[in-house]
Amino acid sequence: MAAEQGYSCLAEGSVDVPAYSPEGSLTLSPCSPGLCLISPAIPEPHWLSSAPPPPASPSEMTVTLEELLAPITEKLKYLLKKAEDFQTYLLYSRDRMQKEQFAKAMPTFLQMCQPYFHHLESTARSCTPCLRPPQEPVRRRLLEISQQLACQLEQLVLMYASFSFVSLDDTDPFSVSCFFCGKFWLNESHQVSIFRYCISAPYTAAHVPHNLYKKMRWNLGILEGPAGRNQTHRTEYYFLCFRDTGDETTVKMQKLWSIGRWVPVEPDSEHNSDVLSWILCRQPKGDYQQLLTIGFEEPSHTSATDLLVQLLNVQNSGLLNRESSGQGSSGEQGQ
């Protein structure tokens, strides 16, 4: 879909890493989020499988959280230090060839952070029979770490873009316009992948709808049909966007933030499965179905995803209710 809409970002599929690496290995699956990234594998903390009992005092809570999250915070320090090294070489190195080499390596560094993002988001948010969310203090701290790393990587990309070493053009297939920030299971059949745009980009390359800009994207992967090999997969796309309110005479335009869904217009992938129509289409067209108005204050990376989760849960509840009522009506008619 990224290619279909003219989007460019690190591929979601690149979350999977090779089975062998010089310093450690990682296996990612819906029922067992990876923990190790660069350092050797660390035994799974007990809070992943069973939540610890409530602490007796606030001080005990602090110590417990620090102990539980020690491996994760150590990895965060490592990644933040690497990001700082990238910035230092860019600012203080006089060797342009060396700067260019670091610029080429920077997208690889973003990919290296993907398993870590996956672990944070999956552990904090996934809700399936195999994965249950941890206690709220642990969940909140995991999402804070995810937010901190995402902001740091965004600043790193913007710095390299300011020196013209990387492109942020959303229509450029080699740009670093956005990067992957983790994925989690909403339930057994719905998985959400998170992408963050380094700068606000027009919703489409054609700037239609007018004055609409995107800041985050969520890919919602949906498994349809009974569990087994015959399940079909489809993807829906949701965005955190803002509209510039006002007109050309307005001194300062305000940004009205919202969450909405990508609606394909041409080609219509929901009703047209002809691959040739996509090949012949120079620029796919889509509309924006606004689902939630947030306000004039930009939500954080974490808050926006929280709002999306609430929105999707409401939609899923409504769908289940309609299906239940439909089955009930059919049963009554059969009687």
Side-chain angles (χ1 to χ4, degrees):
M1 183 63 184
E4 294 167 4
Q5 301 178 37
Y7 300 138
S8 168
C9 61
L10 295 175
E12 172 189 346
S14 61
V15 174
D16 297 324
V17 298
Y20 168 80
S21 66
E23 301 179 41
S25 60
L26 172 65
T27 301
L28 302 179
S29 68
C31 294
S32 123
L35 178 58
C36 62
L37 174 60
I38 300 163
S39 59
I42 301 171
E44 183 184 61
H46 69 275
W47 54 266
L48 285 178
S49 54
S50 60
S57 64
S59 60
E60 186 179 344
M61 166 72 80
T62 304
V63 173
T64 302
L65 284 178
E66 290 178 354
E67 291 176 350
L68 288 176
L69 302 181
I72 295 176
T73 53
E74 286 301 315
K75 268 189 213 323
L76 174 66
K77 292 176 183 178
Y78 176 88
L79 294 174
L80 293 179
K81 178 62 170 61
K82 287 296 180 184
E84 183 181 340
D85 290 342
F86 272 88
Q87 294 176 338
T88 300
Y89 276 103
L90 178 65
L91 294 175
Y92 300 109
S93 175
R94 297 181 180 180
D95 188 341
R96 180 172 179 82
M97 290 188 62
Q98 188 179 46
K99 290 182 179 181
E100 291 177 350
Q101 290 299 320
F102 268 84
K104 292 178 180 178
M106 195 259 292
T108 303
F109 173 63
L110 295 179
Q111 289 183 348
M112 190 175 69
C113 296
Q114 290 183 358
Y116 185 69
F117 273 125
H118 180 203
H119 173 63
L120 293 173
E121 294 291 336
S122 181
T123 303
R125 298 183 184 277
S126 287
C127 187
T128 69
C130 298
L131 292 172
R132 306 303 300 176
Q135 286 190 337
E136 183 59 27
V138 176
R139 174 186 176 276
R140 186 167 57 248
R141 179 58 184 146
L142 291 174
L143 295 180
E144 288 174 357
I145 293 173
S146 178
Q147 170 87 23
Q148 182 181 356
L149 181 59
C151 291
Q152 186 65 35
L153 295 183
E154 180 181 291
Q155 292 304 311
L156 174 64
V157 174
L158 291 176
M159 180 177 292
Y160 271 80
S162 68
F163 283 82
S164 301
F165 283 114
V166 297
S167 170
L168 298 179
D169 184 359
D170 198 34
T171 62
D172 181 357
F174 300 104
S175 75
V176 194
S177 60
C178 67
F179 58 91
F180 175 82
C181 295
K183 63 169 65 173
F184 60 93
W185 289 88
L186 192 66
N187 51 50
E188 292 182 278
S189 59
H190 293 68
Q191 186 180 46
V192 179
S193 301
I194 310 169
F195 297 86
R196 181 184 179 103
Y197 289 89
C198 297
I199 59 172
S200 301
Y203 183 64
T204 64
H207 293 248
V208 178
H210 186 57
N211 283 347
L212 184 65
Y213 301 88
K214 58 195 177 188
K215 183 60 179 176
M216 290 183 66
R217 187 179 85 244
W218 299 276
N219 295 2
L220 177 64
I222 303 174
L223 294 174
E224 297 180 319
R229 297 181 179 179
N230 295 327
Q231 282 186 311
T232 59
H233 179 273
R234 66 182 178 90
T235 305
E236 295 180 353
Y237 302 89
Y238 294 81
F239 291 85
L240 171 68
C241 295
F242 71 83
R243 290 182 186 272
D244 279 332
T245 59
D247 51 34
E248 297 180 354
T249 62
T250 305
V251 177
K252 183 178 180 181
M253 290 188 178
Q254 286 188 303
K255 299 177 180 179
L256 182 60
W257 293 88
S258 64
I259 291 177
R261 175 176 170 266
W262 167 269
V263 180
V265 175
E266 182 185 350
D268 185 354
S269 59
E270 294 184 353
H271 303 94
N272 184 6
S273 59
D274 183 11
V275 178
L276 186 62
S277 63
W278 284 102
I279 298 175
L280 298 178
C281 181
R282 291 190 59 186
Q283 189 176 76
K285 298 179 181 179
D287 202 355
Y288 181 70
Q289 180 187 4
Q290 184 167 318
L291 302 173
L292 176 67
T293 301
I294 298 174
F296 292 104
E297 183 177 351
E298 179 182 359
S300 67
H301 166 96
T302 299
S303 299
T305 305
D306 287 341
L307 291 173
L308 176 78
V309 169
Q310 295 176 24
L311 184 64
L312 294 177
N313 283 332
V314 170
Q315 288 183 346
N316 291 336
S317 299
L319 179 62
L320 291 174
N321 290 336
R322 286 196 298 271
E323 290 178 350
S324 299
S325 60
Q327 292 175 358
S329 300
S330 300
E332 291 175 1
Q333 292 175 1
Q335 295 175 2

